[in-house]
Amino acid sequence: MRLAITGGTGLVGRFLVEEALAAGDEVLLLGRRRPADDAFSAPVGFASWDLAGPAPDLAGIDGLIHAALSHEPGRYRGGEGDDPKGFAAANLEGSLGLFDAAAQVPRLVFLSSRAVYGPRPAGTLLTEDMPPGPDTLYGAVKRDAEAALAGRPGAVSLRATGVYGPAGPGRRHKWADLFEDFAAGRPVAPRIGSEVHGED
């Protein structure tokens, strides 16, 4: 299978690329910067593409995984920083343009987020039939992109929770400070999380 993957050098995207390579798929990364030659366990193709730019050429692609998100470094919710209009334009309009370009691609996976649910009482079991109620721009953009794919044959939106795992060569993951505090014997405040490992 020939897979195009956006966001392939990000924390989640890197896991997606490695799983595709392990399955024997040919991977074409769509992104702003060509990855280093040793970024992955096997060679990948690359095509320059930006969420804020024109849609890429997806001729000959068997499947598309859209995991790219333009955001402030290290932030998803609140990732718009001081430019909410630019955030929405790049992420929603860019995604919709990508979906249009992928009209002939038989399989499409959109990496959405549990943020589409919005706040719920503690202990609520989240199910896919619950109506969305995002309270952040990030969640609203993901909800609206999901809506654009609803009912499209071969397309699915995956509402991921927090993803953890190694961040890749030379990169820090968002739990690095917590791990360092624990290793040094410094107090770590308890909290409830719902993270899933990138390999899952």
Side-chain angles (χ1 to χ4, degrees):
M1 180 181 294
R2 189 163 188 243
L3 282 179
I5 301 178
T6 72
T9 58
L11 173 66
V12 178
R14 196 175 59 76
F15 286 103
L16 300 172
V17 170
E18 289 296 349
E19 287 294 322
L21 292 172
D25 295 322
E26 179 184 345
V27 174
L28 174 68
L29 287 185
L30 304 175
R32 292 179 299 220
R33 290 175 295 282
R34 181 180 297 278
D37 290 340
D38 62 351
F40 301 104
S41 61
V44 299
F46 175 77
S48 181
W49 174 74
D50 188 293
L51 271 163
D57 179 7
L58 296 173
I61 296 297
D62 301 306
L64 169 67
I65 301 174
H66 179 34
L69 180 76
S70 179
H71 60 92
E72 292 287 315
R75 298 179 67 193
Y76 299 98
R77 296 179 196 195
E80 67 272 14
D82 59 2
D83 186 16
K85 287 184 180 177
F87 178 88
N91 290 300
L92 181 55
E93 293 171 25
S95 294
L96 298 181
L98 180 66
F99 298 159
D100 287 344
Q104 301 307 312
V105 175
R107 297 177 185 92
L108 193 158
V109 176
F110 171 58
L111 184 65
S112 188
S113 168
R114 72 172 180 199
V116 301
Y117 292 108
R120 304 283 172 156
T124 299
L125 178 64
L126 301 178
T127 62
E128 293 184 10
D129 59 351
M130 286 181 166
D135 63 341
T136 63
L137 181 57
Y138 169 70
V141 163
K142 292 288 191 177
R143 174 202 60 206
D144 294 347
E146 279 187 19
L149 285 179
R152 176 178 163 169
V156 64
S157 296
L158 177 64
R159 292 178 180 169
T161 184
V163 178
Y164 75 94
R171 301 174 89 180
R172 279 176 69 84
H173 56 75
K174 66 181 183 180
W175 300 274
D177 292 341
L178 182 145
F179 289 1
E180 289 166 4
D181 286 344
F182 178 79
R186 292 187 286 268
V188 175
R191 64 176 222 174
I192 296 173
S194 58
E195 277 68 21
V196 63
H197 195 278
E199 291 180 359
D200 295 324

